[in-house]
Amino acid sequence: MDILTSYSFLVVALGTVILAAAAGIIGSVSVLKGQSLIGDAVGHATFPGVVLAFMLTGVMETSILIIGAVSLGIIAFLLINMMTERSKISLDSALAIVLSGFFGLGMALKSYIQGNPNFNGTQGIDDFIFGQAAYILKSDVYLISLVSVISLILFLIFYQQIKIYVFDPVYARTIGINVKLINVLILIMTILLIAAGLKAVGAVLIVNILIAPAVIGMLWSNKFSSVLAVAACAGALSAFSGTYISTALTGIATGPAIILSLSICVIISMLAAPKGIVLKKYRMKKLGESL
């Protein structure tokens, strides 16, 4: 119980819970559209943006580094679109090329600045690879909250248009919905959340908090609003439990603990949810008996 009243725990838990809940909602859109791996590629592509922002400013300030992350994330997304639309490269190949290329660039730049006497104070750069939520500050929580609120406000304003676009893009065009605008909004919300979550979860693991809650929501319901609600709750619960576990047990990083909590929730949902394996087999058995 002492942990639950600890100031450092409350700061980290608040930041990760807000981030995971918002990411669960926004990530559900990408998963339902079948574009979840784009988030993975963009997540890895944001890391060189962090390093470049530090190289240009010499400041290890989260808000400045996020600007670099968002910029490189947008470039990565545009590059993926250009490769798939203007060449014969498939989406899977484009994602693999961009993911590995940008992340390799980030690692190369990181090695360069860490071995260069002209750059000082590079110790925090590694936190953006695998995350270091234990070092989240109050200012980081404010930034995560601001990004999450902006993303959710945009989502609520365009909720009906996004809902129609997700399930029937052809119908969305016929009734006058600006599909390009909706795509841009989804991209902006996704990249903002990825950039805000880099310090907490890291570029390697950030995609999990976008995809896993959505998968959990889809296993429990077919209704769009219910999927979003379950995804948000699953993300928030996993973030809180992961933060608690990492605080209670020494040697366990917060980001990986959150991802493990999410993975356990996915496994439980795969087994026990209405669309899970156990109930599906039960329904098939009852159907066989009735025939």
Side-chain angles (χ1 to χ4, degrees):
M1 292 300 296
D2 292 339
I3 294 175
L4 296 176
T5 57
S6 168
Y7 174 77
S8 58
F9 167 78
L10 291 174
V11 169
V12 174
L14 182 61
T16 55
V17 165
I18 292 172
L19 174 68
I25 293 173
I26 306 304
S28 297
V29 178
S30 298
V31 173
L32 288 167
K33 283 294 295 176
Q35 298 177 339
S36 52
L37 288 179
I38 291 180
D40 193 15
V42 171
H44 282 74
T46 54
F47 179 62
V50 170
V51 183
L52 284 170
F54 173 76
M55 292 175 69
L56 292 172
T57 63
V59 178
M60 192 63 70
E61 177 63 41
T62 304
S63 57
I64 294 174
L65 300 182
I66 281 181
I67 295 173
V70 171
S71 301
L72 265 290
I74 293 172
I75 291 172
F77 180 82
L78 294 175
L79 186 58
I80 291 169
N81 278 349
M82 186 181 71
M83 292 172 69
T84 53
E85 292 176 1
R86 301 185 183 182
S87 69
K88 294 183 178 180
I89 299 175
S90 65
L91 178 60
D92 290 345
S93 299
L95 291 173
I97 292 169
V98 170
L99 186 154
S100 57
F102 274 72
F103 192 67
L105 172 63
M107 293 301 292
L109 291 173
K110 181 184 82 75
S111 300
Y112 172 73
I113 64 173
Q114 287 183 332
N116 194 320
N118 294 323
F119 296 98
N120 298 315
T122 62
Q123 294 83 0
I125 288 290
D126 287 334
D127 296 344
F128 290 88
I129 302 176
F130 296 106
Q132 191 56 271
Y135 295 112
I136 287 180
L137 304 174
K138 188 188 290 186
S139 58
D140 297 324
V141 175
Y142 289 150
L143 186 60
I144 289 172
S145 301
L146 177 63
V147 168
S148 300
V149 168
I150 291 173
S151 299
L152 292 177
I153 288 175
L154 286 173
F155 183 81
L156 290 173
I157 291 173
F158 294 92
Y159 175 78
Q160 290 298 334
Q161 294 93 321
I162 290 173
K163 182 178 179 181
I164 296 170
Y165 169 68
V166 165
F167 292 102
D168 197 339
V170 176
Y171 176 66
R173 290 189 185 93
T174 56
I175 62 173
I177 293 176
N178 191 334
V179 173
K180 287 187 177 180
L181 174 62
I182 299 300
N183 260 325
V184 170
L185 285 172
I186 294 170
L187 169 65
I188 290 172
M189 292 185 291
T190 302
I191 292 180
L192 283 175
L193 288 171
I194 287 174
L198 283 179
K199 187 174 182 180
V201 187
V204 175
L205 301 175
I206 187 66
V207 68
N208 197 281
I209 67 168
L210 288 167
I211 296 176
V215 171
I216 294 168
M218 291 167 64
L219 286 168
W220 284 95
S221 178
N222 287 321
K223 189 177 179 182
F224 185 57
S225 58
S226 298
V227 170
L228 298 179
V230 173
C233 291
L237 179 63
S238 298
F240 185 84
S241 59
T243 304
Y244 180 85
I245 291 169
S246 66
T247 306
L249 303 176
T250 57
I252 299 179
T254 305
I258 293 172
I259 302 307
L260 285 174
S261 298
L262 272 172
S263 300
I264 291 170
C265 288
V266 170
I267 293 171
I268 293 172
S269 299
M270 286 177 63
L271 294 173
K275 296 165 70 177
I277 297 171
V278 174
L279 287 179
K280 186 176 180 180
K281 284 188 175 182
Y282 175 76
R283 286 193 294 268
M284 291 296 291
K285 182 180 178 181
K286 294 294 289 184
L287 180 62
E289 289 175 355
S290 64
L291 294 174

